[in-house]
Structure formats: C-alpha cells, structure tokens
Amino acid sequence: EGFKLIFTASFQSRRINIMSEPPHHALNKHGFRDIICAVSAVRGFRNGIITGARIRLPYVFQALIYAVLFREDVKKRVTFVIKQMFIHGKNLGLFVMIYKSLCCLFRNFGVSGGIDSWIAGFIGGYWAFGDNKGISGSVNNQIVLYLFARGLQGILLSGVRRGIVPQQLDVSTPGGFRIFAGFSLALILYLTEYEPKTLSVPFWKTMDYLYYHSDSGPMLAKTDAKFLPFIILGSISLLYPLRSSLGLEQMLQKILG
C-alpha cells in the first residue's frame, strides 16, 4: 500500500511537470562506446521514416481527389506523391540518425551548451536535406522552408523572453502574431511586385494567378464553376462584422455539424 502511494504521488508529480513544461531532456546521456548510443541513432532513423510517412500519407488521398477534380493523370500524380512520402521519410530518418550520432560523440567529449546542436544540426541538414534537384529537392525545399519559418518564430519568442525583442512582437500573442503576419505578407508582396525573379517558379505562378490574372476576364470562368460553393460561402462570411452567425466557421459548423 505504501509503495502504491509513493508510485501514485510520483506519477502525479511527473504528470504535473509534463503538463506545465514541455518534456525537454538531454539527448544521448549514455557513453559513446555504449551500444545503446548506436541503437538510439537507429531508432531515430526508424522514427524519422515513420514520421515522414505519417505526414505525407494524407497527401496521397489528396492527390487522388485533386487529379479527379481537375481531370489530370491520376497515376502520375499519385505516384509522384508516394515517391515524396518515401523520400521525406528517408531524408528525415537520415537526419535524425546523423544528428543523434554526432551529439552523442560531441557530448562525450565535453562539447555541449548549444554548440553541439548547431554543429550536428548543420552537418545533418547539409547531408540529409541539402539536395535541391528532382523529387528529393522538392521535398527538401518544403521541409527546409517550413523549419526555417518555425525557427524564426522560435527566435522571436526567445528574443521576447530575453528582453531583446519588444513585448509587442511576441508572436504567441494575438497582437504580436498580427504584426508577424503583416510583415510576412508585406515581404512576399514586395518581392512579387518588384523582385519576382527571387521567387520560385511554382510559387510565382500562384501569385501571378492571384494578383495578375484577376486584372481581367470573366467573373467566373467555366473551368472555375465547380468552386462556386466556396466563393458563395467566402463572400457571405465578409458580412461577419455585421452579424456573428455569418462567420465562416459558424456557417460551416451549421452545415457540416
């Protein structure tokens, strides 16, 4: 009974700590020559592959629907996305394995305090995500840009907590995030208008459709008629300031449940 009480108290204490703070912990505390170090890196490779598959699998079904909707080659589009799924998993797994192995090595030689993460992260990213050609390049481009955005957000949060960045720019607050959103969109639109060659071709095509194709032509082309429900709901939702029930989320809740 006493053991049970101690175990329960310990569990509750750990549960509170996990809920109040992120479960961050030091990596690879074991000795470098310990077989557990190698096993840990291999497990990281495994988890990277699984994570890549989990992230990309929904896109396979999305590609199938997209191909049918736009009358494209179903096999070609779905095959491309499946290849991306496998490449994503392999590259992510490779990075984790390299990173964990190098951190294990560095920390057992006394290299720590953040330098280990910078060096191991750079080497791992250079080799695992450095290819910018073909399907692997398209996958790496998406991952690197996503991680860069997350990193920038993290740096801003760190700057606020350290007193380097003004509190008004805290992106975790409503006001701070609005400023962050405004700056991001202003930057992209400046590049679109004045330095379009700095943008990737696929991204530029999207911006071209949004801002230049809308300069002329019919209000609703025949090829766009299938999107009429989206246009109607989006247009009605603009009346949200006048009536809260006309908000897009509120209307979708009524329609879809």
Side-chain angles (χ1 to χ4, degrees), residues 39-68:
V39 173
S40 174
V42 172
R43 284 174 178 162
F45 178 71
R46 175 204 64 190
N47 288 2
I49 292 177
I50 293 173
T51 299
R54 284 176 174 172
I55 292 172
R56 292 281 176 176
L57 188 58
Y59 290 96
V60 175
F61 301 103
Q62 183 185 61
L64 178 61
I65 296 172
Y66 191 94
V68 172

PDB file of all heavy atoms in Angstrom, residues 39-68:
ATOM      1  N   VAL A  39      22.119   2.136 -31.027  1.00  0.00           N
ATOM      2  CA  VAL A  39      20.713   1.720 -31.097  1.00  0.00           C
ATOM      3  C   VAL A  39      19.800   2.937 -31.089  1.00  0.00           C
ATOM      4  O   VAL A  39      18.802   2.998 -31.808  1.00  0.00           O
ATOM      5  CB  VAL A  39      20.362   0.779 -29.925  1.00  0.00           C
ATOM      6  CG1 VAL A  39      18.867   0.489 -29.893  1.00  0.00           C
ATOM      7  CG2 VAL A  39      21.153  -0.520 -30.038  1.00  0.00           C
ATOM      8  N   SER A  40      20.150   3.942 -30.280  1.00  0.00           N
ATOM      9  CA  SER A  40      19.365   5.168 -30.206  1.00  0.00           C
ATOM     10  C   SER A  40      19.321   5.873 -31.559  1.00  0.00           C
ATOM     11  O   SER A  40      18.275   6.375 -31.979  1.00  0.00           O
ATOM     12  CB  SER A  40      19.956   6.102 -29.151  1.00  0.00           C
ATOM     13  OG  SER A  40      19.304   7.344 -29.138  1.00  0.00           O
ATOM     14  N   ALA A  41      20.449   5.925 -32.258  1.00  0.00           N
ATOM     15  CA  ALA A  41      20.512   6.565 -33.569  1.00  0.00           C
ATOM     16  C   ALA A  41      19.683   5.795 -34.594  1.00  0.00           C
ATOM     17  O   ALA A  41      18.989   6.392 -35.421  1.00  0.00           O
ATOM     18  CB  ALA A  41      21.963   6.672 -34.028  1.00  0.00           C
ATOM     19  N   VAL A  42      19.748   4.465 -34.533  1.00  0.00           N
ATOM     20  CA  VAL A  42      18.976   3.635 -35.459  1.00  0.00           C
ATOM     21  C   VAL A  42      17.478   3.808 -35.207  1.00  0.00           C
ATOM     22  O   VAL A  42      16.671   3.885 -36.145  1.00  0.00           O
ATOM     23  CB  VAL A  42      19.369   2.149 -35.328  1.00  0.00           C
ATOM     24  CG1 VAL A  42      18.430   1.272 -36.153  1.00  0.00           C
ATOM     25  CG2 VAL A  42      20.811   1.956 -35.783  1.00  0.00           C
ATOM     26  N   ARG A  43      17.118   3.870 -33.944  1.00  0.00           N
ATOM     27  CA  ARG A  43      15.709   4.115 -33.620  1.00  0.00           C
ATOM     28  C   ARG A  43      15.258   5.471 -34.141  1.00  0.00           C
ATOM     29  O   ARG A  43      14.119   5.645 -34.577  1.00  0.00           O
ATOM     30  CB  ARG A  43      15.515   4.047 -32.110  1.00  0.00           C
ATOM     31  CG  ARG A  43      15.513   2.634 -31.537  1.00  0.00           C
ATOM     32  CD  ARG A  43      15.453   2.688 -30.031  1.00  0.00           C
ATOM     33  NE  ARG A  43      15.411   1.358 -29.434  1.00  0.00           N
ATOM     34  CZ  ARG A  43      15.700   1.097 -28.178  1.00  0.00           C
ATOM     35  NH1 ARG A  43      16.073   2.094 -27.371  1.00  0.00           N
ATOM     36  NH2 ARG A  43      15.627  -0.128 -27.700  1.00  0.00           N
ATOM     37  N   GLY A  44      16.157   6.446 -34.069  1.00  0.00           N
ATOM     38  CA  GLY A  44      15.837   7.761 -34.609  1.00  0.00           C
ATOM     39  C   GLY A  44      15.592   7.701 -36.108  1.00  0.00           C
ATOM     40  O   GLY A  44      14.686   8.356 -36.627  1.00  0.00           O
ATOM     41  N   PHE A  45      16.405   6.897 -36.811  1.00  0.00           N
ATOM     42  CA  PHE A  45      16.207   6.698 -38.249  1.00  0.00           C
ATOM     43  C   PHE A  45      14.843   6.089 -38.520  1.00  0.00           C
ATOM     44  O   PHE A  45      14.106   6.519 -39.412  1.00  0.00           O
ATOM     45  CB  PHE A  45      17.313   5.784 -38.792  1.00  0.00           C
ATOM     46  CG  PHE A  45      17.186   5.474 -40.256  1.00  0.00           C
ATOM     47  CD1 PHE A  45      17.438   6.446 -41.207  1.00  0.00           C
ATOM     48  CD2 PHE A  45      16.822   4.211 -40.680  1.00  0.00           C
ATOM     49  CE1 PHE A  45      17.315   6.173 -42.559  1.00  0.00           C
ATOM     50  CE2 PHE A  45      16.700   3.919 -42.027  1.00  0.00           C
ATOM     51  CZ  PHE A  45      16.954   4.905 -42.971  1.00  0.00           C
ATOM     52  N   ARG A  46      14.487   5.088 -37.711  1.00  0.00           N
ATOM     53  CA  ARG A  46      13.175   4.443 -37.838  1.00  0.00           C
ATOM     54  C   ARG A  46      12.046   5.436 -37.619  1.00  0.00           C
ATOM     55  O   ARG A  46      11.091   5.502 -38.407  1.00  0.00           O
ATOM     56  CB  ARG A  46      13.070   3.308 -36.822  1.00  0.00           C
ATOM     57  CG  ARG A  46      11.704   2.615 -36.757  1.00  0.00           C
ATOM     58  CD  ARG A  46      11.496   1.960 -35.408  1.00  0.00           C
ATOM     59  NE  ARG A  46      11.459   2.937 -34.314  1.00  0.00           N
ATOM     60  CZ  ARG A  46      11.482   2.605 -33.031  1.00  0.00           C
ATOM     61  NH1 ARG A  46      11.599   1.334 -32.667  1.00  0.00           N
ATOM     62  NH2 ARG A  46      11.422   3.543 -32.104  1.00  0.00           N
ATOM     63  N   ASN A  47      12.158   6.221 -36.545  1.00  0.00           N
ATOM     64  CA  ASN A  47      11.104   7.184 -36.223  1.00  0.00           C
ATOM     65  C   ASN A  47      10.974   8.264 -37.289  1.00  0.00           C
ATOM     66  O   ASN A  47       9.888   8.793 -37.522  1.00  0.00           O
ATOM     67  CB  ASN A  47      11.363   7.816 -34.860  1.00  0.00           C
ATOM     68  CG  ASN A  47      11.123   6.844 -33.719  1.00  0.00           C
ATOM     69  OD1 ASN A  47      10.788   5.684 -33.936  1.00  0.00           O
ATOM     70  ND2 ASN A  47      11.306   7.316 -32.492  1.00  0.00           N
ATOM     71  N   GLY A  48      12.106   8.621 -37.917  1.00  0.00           N
ATOM     72  CA  GLY A  48      12.061   9.604 -38.998  1.00  0.00           C
ATOM     73  C   GLY A  48      11.276   9.091 -40.187  1.00  0.00           C
ATOM     74  O   GLY A  48      10.475   9.816 -40.784  1.00  0.00           O
ATOM     75  N   ILE A  49      11.494   7.822 -40.544  1.00  0.00           N
ATOM     76  CA  ILE A  49      10.763   7.222 -41.661  1.00  0.00           C
ATOM     77  C   ILE A  49       9.269   7.164 -41.355  1.00  0.00           C
ATOM     78  O   ILE A  49       8.424   7.496 -42.204  1.00  0.00           O
ATOM     79  CB  ILE A  49      11.300   5.807 -41.952  1.00  0.00           C
ATOM     80  CG1 ILE A  49      12.730   5.904 -42.514  1.00  0.00           C
ATOM     81  CG2 ILE A  49      10.390   5.058 -42.918  1.00  0.00           C
ATOM     82  CD1 ILE A  49      13.378   4.567 -42.770  1.00  0.00           C
ATOM     83  N   ILE A  50       8.941   6.763 -40.134  1.00  0.00           N
ATOM     84  CA  ILE A  50       7.530   6.673 -39.736  1.00  0.00           C
ATOM     85  C   ILE A  50       6.877   8.050 -39.754  1.00  0.00           C
ATOM     86  O   ILE A  50       5.752   8.220 -40.244  1.00  0.00           O
ATOM     87  CB  ILE A  50       7.405   6.039 -38.339  1.00  0.00           C
ATOM     88  CG1 ILE A  50       7.850   4.571 -38.382  1.00  0.00           C
ATOM     89  CG2 ILE A  50       5.976   6.145 -37.817  1.00  0.00           C
ATOM     90  CD1 ILE A  50       7.923   3.904 -37.028  1.00  0.00           C
ATOM     91  N   THR A  51       7.596   9.060 -39.249  1.00  0.00           N
ATOM     92  CA  THR A  51       7.053  10.417 -39.218  1.00  0.00           C
ATOM     93  C   THR A  51       6.818  10.944 -40.625  1.00  0.00           C
ATOM     94  O   THR A  51       5.786  11.566 -40.910  1.00  0.00           O
ATOM     95  CB  THR A  51       8.012  11.368 -38.470  1.00  0.00           C
ATOM     96  OG1 THR A  51       8.171  10.909 -37.125  1.00  0.00           O
ATOM     97  CG2 THR A  51       7.469  12.788 -38.452  1.00  0.00           C
ATOM     98  N   GLY A  52       7.773  10.697 -41.529  1.00  0.00           N
ATOM     99  CA  GLY A  52       7.607  11.123 -42.916  1.00  0.00           C
ATOM    100  C   GLY A  52       6.388  10.492 -43.567  1.00  0.00           C
ATOM    101  O   GLY A  52       5.634  11.150 -44.287  1.00  0.00           O
ATOM    102  N   ALA A  53       6.183   9.201 -43.300  1.00  0.00           N
ATOM    103  CA  ALA A  53       5.022   8.509 -43.862  1.00  0.00           C
ATOM    104  C   ALA A  53       3.724   9.073 -43.292  1.00  0.00           C
ATOM    105  O   ALA A  53       2.745   9.274 -44.019  1.00  0.00           O
ATOM    106  CB  ALA A  53       5.114   7.015 -43.569  1.00  0.00           C
ATOM    107  N   ARG A  54       3.710   9.331 -41.995  1.00  0.00           N
ATOM    108  CA  ARG A  54       2.508   9.882 -41.353  1.00  0.00           C
ATOM    109  C   ARG A  54       2.156  11.258 -41.910  1.00  0.00           C
ATOM    110  O   ARG A  54       0.985  11.581 -42.120  1.00  0.00           O
ATOM    111  CB  ARG A  54       2.725   9.990 -39.845  1.00  0.00           C
ATOM    112  CG  ARG A  54       2.640   8.662 -39.100  1.00  0.00           C
ATOM    113  CD  ARG A  54       2.964   8.852 -37.633  1.00  0.00           C
ATOM    114  NE  ARG A  54       2.753   7.625 -36.870  1.00  0.00           N
ATOM    115  CZ  ARG A  54       3.104   7.461 -35.603  1.00  0.00           C
ATOM    116  NH1 ARG A  54       3.697   8.457 -34.961  1.00  0.00           N
ATOM    117  NH2 ARG A  54       2.871   6.316 -34.982  1.00  0.00           N
ATOM    118  N   ILE A  55       3.177  12.065 -42.149  1.00  0.00           N
ATOM    119  CA  ILE A  55       2.945  13.419 -42.655  1.00  0.00           C
ATOM    120  C   ILE A  55       2.436  13.390 -44.086  1.00  0.00           C
ATOM    121  O   ILE A  55       1.503  14.118 -44.452  1.00  0.00           O
ATOM    122  CB  ILE A  55       4.236  14.256 -42.564  1.00  0.00           C
ATOM    123  CG1 ILE A  55       4.591  14.528 -41.097  1.00  0.00           C
ATOM    124  CG2 ILE A  55       4.089  15.576 -43.323  1.00  0.00           C
ATOM    125  CD1 ILE A  55       5.937  15.186 -40.909  1.00  0.00           C
ATOM    126  N   ARG A  56       3.027  12.538 -44.914  1.00  0.00           N
ATOM    127  CA  ARG A  56       2.733  12.549 -46.345  1.00  0.00           C
ATOM    128  C   ARG A  56       1.548  11.679 -46.766  1.00  0.00           C
ATOM    129  O   ARG A  56       0.969  11.908 -47.825  1.00  0.00           O
ATOM    130  CB  ARG A  56       3.974  12.078 -47.113  1.00  0.00           C
ATOM    131  CG  ARG A  56       5.134  13.047 -47.054  1.00  0.00           C
ATOM    132  CD  ARG A  56       4.953  14.196 -48.005  1.00  0.00           C
ATOM    133  NE  ARG A  56       6.035  15.172 -47.876  1.00  0.00           N
ATOM    134  CZ  ARG A  56       6.164  16.242 -48.655  1.00  0.00           C
ATOM    135  NH1 ARG A  56       5.278  16.456 -49.619  1.00  0.00           N
ATOM    136  NH2 ARG A  56       7.143  17.093 -48.472  1.00  0.00           N
ATOM    137  N   LEU A  57       1.185  10.698 -45.952  1.00  0.00           N
ATOM    138  CA  LEU A  57       0.126   9.775 -46.353  1.00  0.00           C
ATOM    139  C   LEU A  57      -1.184  10.482 -46.705  1.00  0.00           C
ATOM    140  O   LEU A  57      -1.813  10.139 -47.723  1.00  0.00           O
ATOM    141  CB  LEU A  57      -0.112   8.738 -45.250  1.00  0.00           C
ATOM    142  CG  LEU A  57      -1.071   7.591 -45.613  1.00  0.00           C
ATOM    143  CD1 LEU A  57      -0.582   6.839 -46.843  1.00  0.00           C
ATOM    144  CD2 LEU A  57      -1.220   6.632 -44.424  1.00  0.00           C
ATOM    145  N   PRO A  58      -1.635  11.466 -45.927  1.00  0.00           N
ATOM    146  CA  PRO A  58      -2.881  12.156 -46.313  1.00  0.00           C
ATOM    147  C   PRO A  58      -2.802  12.818 -47.681  1.00  0.00           C
ATOM    148  O   PRO A  58      -3.817  12.965 -48.367  1.00  0.00           O
ATOM    149  CB  PRO A  58      -3.062  13.197 -45.194  1.00  0.00           C
ATOM    150  CG  PRO A  58      -2.307  12.643 -44.036  1.00  0.00           C
ATOM    151  CD  PRO A  58      -1.130  11.940 -44.628  1.00  0.00           C
ATOM    152  N   TYR A  59      -1.583  13.215 -48.091  1.00  0.00           N
ATOM    153  CA  TYR A  59      -1.421  13.870 -49.379  1.00  0.00           C
ATOM    154  C   TYR A  59      -1.655  12.913 -50.548  1.00  0.00           C
ATOM    155  O   TYR A  59      -1.949  13.348 -51.658  1.00  0.00           O
ATOM    156  CB  TYR A  59      -0.026  14.493 -49.487  1.00  0.00           C
ATOM    157  CG  TYR A  59       0.166  15.686 -48.594  1.00  0.00           C
ATOM    158  CD1 TYR A  59       0.759  15.554 -47.339  1.00  0.00           C
ATOM    159  CD2 TYR A  59      -0.240  16.957 -48.987  1.00  0.00           C
ATOM    160  CE1 TYR A  59       0.926  16.654 -46.511  1.00  0.00           C
ATOM    161  CE2 TYR A  59      -0.067  18.056 -48.173  1.00  0.00           C
ATOM    162  CZ  TYR A  59       0.512  17.893 -46.936  1.00  0.00           C
ATOM    163  OH  TYR A  59       0.684  18.975 -46.113  1.00  0.00           O
ATOM    164  N   VAL A  60      -1.508  11.609 -50.300  1.00  0.00           N
ATOM    165  CA  VAL A  60      -1.781  10.631 -51.345  1.00  0.00           C
ATOM    166  C   VAL A  60      -3.258  10.673 -51.704  1.00  0.00           C
ATOM    167  O   VAL A  60      -3.627  10.704 -52.892  1.00  0.00           O
ATOM    168  CB  VAL A  60      -1.377   9.212 -50.879  1.00  0.00           C
ATOM    169  CG1 VAL A  60      -1.773   8.185 -51.939  1.00  0.00           C
ATOM    170  CG2 VAL A  60       0.117   9.143 -50.602  1.00  0.00           C
ATOM    171  N   PHE A  61      -4.104  10.681 -50.685  1.00  0.00           N
ATOM    172  CA  PHE A  61      -5.549  10.760 -50.925  1.00  0.00           C
ATOM    173  C   PHE A  61      -5.921  12.124 -51.497  1.00  0.00           C
ATOM    174  O   PHE A  61      -6.802  12.233 -52.354  1.00  0.00           O
ATOM    175  CB  PHE A  61      -6.300  10.507 -49.616  1.00  0.00           C
ATOM    176  CG  PHE A  61      -5.995   9.170 -49.002  1.00  0.00           C
ATOM    177  CD1 PHE A  61      -5.140   9.066 -47.912  1.00  0.00           C
ATOM    178  CD2 PHE A  61      -6.535   8.008 -49.536  1.00  0.00           C
ATOM    179  CE1 PHE A  61      -4.852   7.836 -47.342  1.00  0.00           C
ATOM    180  CE2 PHE A  61      -6.247   6.772 -48.966  1.00  0.00           C
ATOM    181  CZ  PHE A  61      -5.403   6.683 -47.883  1.00  0.00           C
ATOM    182  N   GLN A  62      -5.233  13.160 -51.045  1.00  0.00           N
ATOM    183  CA  GLN A  62      -5.478  14.500 -51.567  1.00  0.00           C
ATOM    184  C   GLN A  62      -5.132  14.561 -53.056  1.00  0.00           C
ATOM    185  O   GLN A  62      -5.864  15.166 -53.853  1.00  0.00           O
ATOM    186  CB  GLN A  62      -4.653  15.510 -50.790  1.00  0.00           C
ATOM    187  CG  GLN A  62      -4.884  16.955 -51.202  1.00  0.00           C
ATOM    188  CD  GLN A  62      -3.947  17.908 -50.492  1.00  0.00           C
ATOM    189  OE1 GLN A  62      -2.730  17.820 -50.621  1.00  0.00           O
ATOM    190  NE2 GLN A  62      -4.501  18.827 -49.718  1.00  0.00           N
ATOM    191  N   ALA A  63      -4.025  13.932 -53.434  1.00  0.00           N
ATOM    192  CA  ALA A  63      -3.610  13.922 -54.835  1.00  0.00           C
ATOM    193  C   ALA A  63      -4.622  13.184 -55.698  1.00  0.00           C
ATOM    194  O   ALA A  63      -4.905  13.581 -56.837  1.00  0.00           O
ATOM    195  CB  ALA A  63      -2.237  13.262 -54.968  1.00  0.00           C
ATOM    196  N   LEU A  64      -5.175  12.100 -55.170  1.00  0.00           N
ATOM    197  CA  LEU A  64      -6.183  11.329 -55.899  1.00  0.00           C
ATOM    198  C   LEU A  64      -7.416  12.191 -56.173  1.00  0.00           C
ATOM    199  O   LEU A  64      -7.923  12.233 -57.316  1.00  0.00           O
ATOM    200  CB  LEU A  64      -6.561  10.092 -55.095  1.00  0.00           C
ATOM    201  CG  LEU A  64      -7.639   9.186 -55.695  1.00  0.00           C
ATOM    202  CD1 LEU A  64      -7.189   8.631 -57.028  1.00  0.00           C
ATOM    203  CD2 LEU A  64      -7.971   8.056 -54.732  1.00  0.00           C
ATOM    204  N   ILE A  65      -7.887  12.895 -55.153  1.00  0.00           N
ATOM    205  CA  ILE A  65      -9.063  13.761 -55.310  1.00  0.00           C
ATOM    206  C   ILE A  65      -8.755  14.914 -56.266  1.00  0.00           C
ATOM    207  O   ILE A  65      -9.566  15.266 -57.131  1.00  0.00           O
ATOM    208  CB  ILE A  65      -9.502  14.302 -53.937  1.00  0.00           C
ATOM    209  CG1 ILE A  65      -9.960  13.146 -53.044  1.00  0.00           C
ATOM    210  CG2 ILE A  65     -10.615  15.335 -54.089  1.00  0.00           C
ATOM    211  CD1 ILE A  65     -10.234  13.556 -51.605  1.00  0.00           C
ATOM    212  N   TYR A  66      -7.569  15.493 -56.122  1.00  0.00           N
ATOM    213  CA  TYR A  66      -7.157  16.615 -56.958  1.00  0.00           C
ATOM    214  C   TYR A  66      -7.103  16.206 -58.428  1.00  0.00           C
ATOM    215  O   TYR A  66      -7.577  16.932 -59.302  1.00  0.00           O
ATOM    216  CB  TYR A  66      -5.782  17.107 -56.497  1.00  0.00           C
ATOM    217  CG  TYR A  66      -5.355  18.427 -57.098  1.00  0.00           C
ATOM    218  CD1 TYR A  66      -5.596  19.625 -56.442  1.00  0.00           C
ATOM    219  CD2 TYR A  66      -4.692  18.466 -58.325  1.00  0.00           C
ATOM    220  CE1 TYR A  66      -5.197  20.833 -56.984  1.00  0.00           C
ATOM    221  CE2 TYR A  66      -4.295  19.674 -58.883  1.00  0.00           C
ATOM    222  CZ  TYR A  66      -4.547  20.853 -58.212  1.00  0.00           C
ATOM    223  OH  TYR A  66      -4.156  22.050 -58.767  1.00  0.00           O
ATOM    224  N   ALA A  67      -6.543  15.032 -58.685  1.00  0.00           N
ATOM    225  CA  ALA A  67      -6.422  14.555 -60.063  1.00  0.00           C
ATOM    226  C   ALA A  67      -7.793  14.313 -60.690  1.00  0.00           C
ATOM    227  O   ALA A  67      -8.019  14.640 -61.859  1.00  0.00           O
ATOM    228  CB  ALA A  67      -5.594  13.275 -60.097  1.00  0.00           C
ATOM    229  N   VAL A  68      -8.705  13.752 -59.920  1.00  0.00           N
ATOM    230  CA  VAL A  68     -10.056  13.503 -60.434  1.00  0.00           C
ATOM    231  C   VAL A  68     -10.789  14.820 -60.666  1.00  0.00           C
ATOM    232  O   VAL A  68     -11.456  15.006 -61.689  1.00  0.00           O
ATOM    233  CB  VAL A  68     -10.850  12.611 -59.443  1.00  0.00           C
ATOM    234  CG1 VAL A  68     -12.311  12.502 -59.866  1.00  0.00           C
ATOM    235  CG2 VAL A  68     -10.221  11.229 -59.351  1.00  0.00           C
TER     236      VAL A  68
END
